[in-house]
Amino acid sequence: MTFRRDAATVSGFVGAAIVMSSAAWSQMTPPPAGAKYTFECSSSVNANYEEVYSILSSDGSTLRVEVDDGIERNWYEKPLYLLNTTIASKQMIRGQESSMFNIPSEFKQLQSLEIGGKYSGYVIERRPKERLEWDYTLSVLGRETVYNRAFGDLKVITLSEARWVNVYSSNLDVRYALELSFPLSWEYKDLNGAEVTCELAAAEGLTGVPVAARPEAPGTAAGSQIAVVKSPQRMRSIVNANVREEPSRAAARIGRLGNGTRISVSGYVDVSGERWYALPLDNGATGYVFSGVLKEANAPSTTPAPAAAPAPASKPAVQPAAKPQPVQRGTQTAAVRAPAPTPAPAAANTSERLKKLDELRRLDLISEAEYQQKRKDLLGSGKSVGIADQLRQTNAQFRQGKINPEEFVKARAGILAKINTQDMDAKQGLVLLNDLINERLISEAEYSRKRATMLDAL
């Protein structure tokens, strides 16, 4: 999936108990076509947002899912056994379609959810302008029974994914709910500092699924009104926010506020540890907005203010609620992409020729031997190729567990120390650095530091 935004999320989990018997546990089952799963997510940029996953098709072995976060709509297609991973046969992210293939056959064993199962292998991803070879390790860790506010006690299997490509890596932990045929929550982290947590808040289109008895909001008993504490104030939404019929995540959505919308609330109500603000609507009714997606109107913004229109009047026209249209931003579904650094413009002629050479190899128009020789000729020496090969070898040794993190860092430092103005011309060094970062063999920080040294020598 994918990531952004701001505020605190409220966990859908109240407690968990480890279950030792295996009688009630079974393998993965496909979610029904037409089902929708709504997740409350938070990201490392202090952002709360909502994602709605809609099952467009489900034939028992392959799923096509659309994901809607209110801003983007993406989709992915994958075998059922890969539901809890970032691997997708096909996917569309931000208007760009990509595919993944060469998926190891042993990954099919994930569908059995056998505790202790561990599967590793390489998966190739083809994007519009690049080809990545991911090294995956997938594990089935354990079972537990988890209480969810919307569905009560659920049988959950925890799975873990670790993947690498050159110096980029990410980790994903997923809790798959057997009764829901879909993940209940997931946590994602990567080497770029991205962190995303998503938890299921509601689901539609499921049959035979338990529903938890949820506590009533104050004053919501039959024939009574919700007791709102009067506290008129101006607020603004810090993300796209839902307006609900009652102060509950399970209540019907009756409207939506765009990011940065200023509103006048009449007060608040506290329900099960969550605060909801009461929003008077144009039709005389009252809607409720979760406090985690609102801030005082004059509080400093953590996200860019929308290029929008003037603040609405005291009773803003709330957009009618549309049925959630699926999209995909997430962790669990689409291969999360490492940001592609922008290379420096130095040594443009050589750099362009290297790109053309790479394209010839990609199209299989030249042999590997011809590629390596021509590359050495363009760079003026074999140093670039040697350093790149050493970095690849060190990365592989670390992924395979042949060296520990301390040895890995020390080995990389030794290799990168060879990129200096004493051993190579500054222009050659800049070309080399561009080449290494384009292959994602060095980080942005390493690239910037070494590039500054080379520029000082010009």
Side-chain angles (χ1 to χ4, degrees), residues 1-5 42-46 49 94 163 168-173 186-197 329-331 335-339 444:
M1 308 179 177
T2 7
F3 319 64
R4 55 173 177 63
R5 310 193 204 193
S42 64
S43 76
S44 52
V45 293
N46 292 326
Y49 59 99
R94 301 188 188 98
R163 62 175 186 165
Y168 175 81
S169 64
S170 70
N171 291 89
L172 172 65
D173 292 320
W186 62 82
E187 296 178 4
Y188 171 90
K189 296 181 180 181
D190 74 8
L191 197 62
N192 291 333
E195 294 186 18
V196 173
T197 300
R329 251 205 192 276
T331 335
V336 179
R337 303 183 180 215
E444 290 187 58

Side-chain angles (χ1 to χ4, degrees), residues 1-4 72-75 91-97 327-329 335-337:
M1 308 179 177
T2 7
F3 319 64
R4 55 173 177 63
E72 291 183 353
R73 290 184 183 180
N74 302 298
W75 59 263
Q91 59 193 358
M92 176 74 76
I93 301 178
R94 301 188 188 98
Q96 290 193 339
E97 189 169 343
V327 188
Q328 160 176 336
R329 251 205 192 276
V336 179
R337 303 183 180 215

